[in-house]
Amino acid sequence: MRAAYIHGIRDIRIGEKPVPVPVGDEVLLRVSAVGVCGSDLHYYKEGAIGHARITQPFIAGHEFAARVVEDQPALGLKAGQLVAVDPAKPCGQCEWCHRGHVNLCPHVQFLGSPPHTHGAMTEYIVVAPSQIYPVPDHFTPVQAVMLEPLGVAIHAMDLAGTKKLFETVAIIGCGPIGLCLLQLAKMMCKKAIYAIDPINYRTEKARQLGADGVAADHAAIAEWTDGRGVDLVLEATNSPEGFQIAAQSARIGGRVVLVGIPDGDQYAPLSASLLRRKGLDIRLSRRMGHVYDRAIQLVAQGAVDVDCLVTHRFDLQQASEAFSYPSEFLDGALKTVILPHPD
């Protein structure tokens, strides 16, 4: 079967590998669609995220939807049924899993995480039953793909603890995660939501999705709030300056949730005195917990529009373009999706 391998920085090649054979209770899936995530772009542009480094040809892809190959009576699944897949398989045994922080499990097996755990940018894949989430019959593969980034946004909102209706919120970074955060914030916060991104077409999408103010520079937040800053900042950029921008945008005693992964795995510059003097509540968001059921419900009810975030679709043979478009902001690209087996 075909697979898209990342060989090195900006080097993607289509190769061949055997169709995987399920072991034990694993389930064989036929991949319908797989999204290109911001973390995938770090592997493409830098070859690594922190210590997770590509040391050999590697198959990325953790946002995906697939169809069951054979009936699975024990799971209530039929051959051909569309499912979403949680890419994380935490150990379930460590202290952090028992505390409920499965997204922080140090022993997690995460699909599409180098150097050893290949992802879904291929034609077939095997997963554990616990990773499979059936979706409603009317869901498309692309909608099922988008449950994963939506889940990341849901987890970040949980960390934000948004329970106050009359809060001001700033979204820093209007990529797919930021735009999911914007839609979730609109459901919870009834005062004002601002969106910041230097790319015009991204802030225009934020405006279409209901942002009360959009701008290319976070200095606008000080103008909009008369210098106060906002109650909650949700940072979803790839900029090393993202942390500093978030801190500058928050009010004294405000909350900051960092969701983005900075280029080079470093935040800079960063003023310790600014953080200290504002007394900020700062939280870092990693992946997600058990939120797929909530994500499915939000999409099924039409509460979150994930379709509008998917701008480009590519065949597996065009995997290189699927990465280059969002990394270089070509043709208004937001989320690009690869279709190994288009329905």
Side-chain angles (χ1 to χ4, degrees), residues 134-307:
V135 297
D137 291 341
H138 67 274
F139 268 40
T140 67
V142 166
Q143 288 173 325
V145 163
M146 293 301 293
L147 295 173
E148 202 278 344
L150 177 57
V152 170
I154 292 170
H155 178 70
M157 292 301 292
D158 288 347
L159 289 178
T162 304
K163 298 177 182 178
K164 301 175 182 178
L165 291 178
F166 296 100
E167 286 196 312
T168 50
V169 180
I171 311 294
I172 310 296
C174 298
I177 298 292
L179 294 171
C180 284
L181 288 167
L182 170 61
Q183 294 185 71
L184 294 174
K186 288 291 291 184
M187 296 167 55
M188 301 176 185
C189 304
K190 306 302 182 185
K191 193 167 184 180
I193 299 175
Y194 307 117
I196 305 297
D197 196 290
I199 308 298
N200 287 339
Y201 71 79
R202 288 156 64 115
T203 49
E204 179 55 32
K205 180 60 71 174
R207 188 192 305 277
Q208 294 170 9
L209 289 172
D212 297 290
V214 302
D217 192 289
H218 71 286
I221 293 173
E223 298 175 13
W224 292 327
T225 63
D226 295 325
R228 175 183 183 271
V230 296
D231 299 300
L232 170 65
V233 181
L234 301 165
E235 185 274 342
T237 79
N238 65 348
S239 172
E241 298 179 2
F243 195 166
Q244 179 77 1
I245 289 171
Q248 291 172 340
S249 302
R251 67 165 171 84
I252 291 173
R255 308 193 310 288
V256 172
V257 180
L258 300 172
V259 189
I261 300 173
D263 289 340
D265 195 37
Q266 299 289 328
Y267 288 118
L270 184 60
S271 169
S273 62
L274 173 67
L275 306 180
R276 184 174 62 253
R277 290 168 183 168
K278 281 194 171 183
L280 297 175
D281 180 337
I282 299 167
R283 304 190 179 195
L284 286 84
S285 186
R286 174 172 168 81
R287 297 174 178 166
M288 71 182 100
H290 296 303
V291 300
Y292 259 81
D293 289 334
R294 289 157 64 191
I296 291 170
Q297 184 178 24
L298 287 169
V299 174
Q301 293 174 344
V304 175
D305 182 357
V306 292
D307 288 296

Side-chain angles (χ1 to χ4, degrees), residues 5-19:
Y5 288 89
I6 302 178
H7 284 253
I9 294 175
R10 298 184 184 274
D11 181 7
I12 296 179
R13 309 176 208 171
I14 303 301
E16 295 288 329
K17 70 187 299 282
V19 174

Side-chain angles (χ1 to χ4, degrees), residues 108-139:
V108 67
Q109 297 178 43
F110 194 86
L111 295 170
S113 179
H116 303 301
T117 310
H118 287 306
M121 290 184 183
T122 186
E123 297 187 274
Y124 292 89
I125 194 168
V126 292
V127 302
S130 61
Q131 296 174 268
I132 295 174
Y133 287 83
V135 297
D137 291 341
H138 67 274
F139 268 40

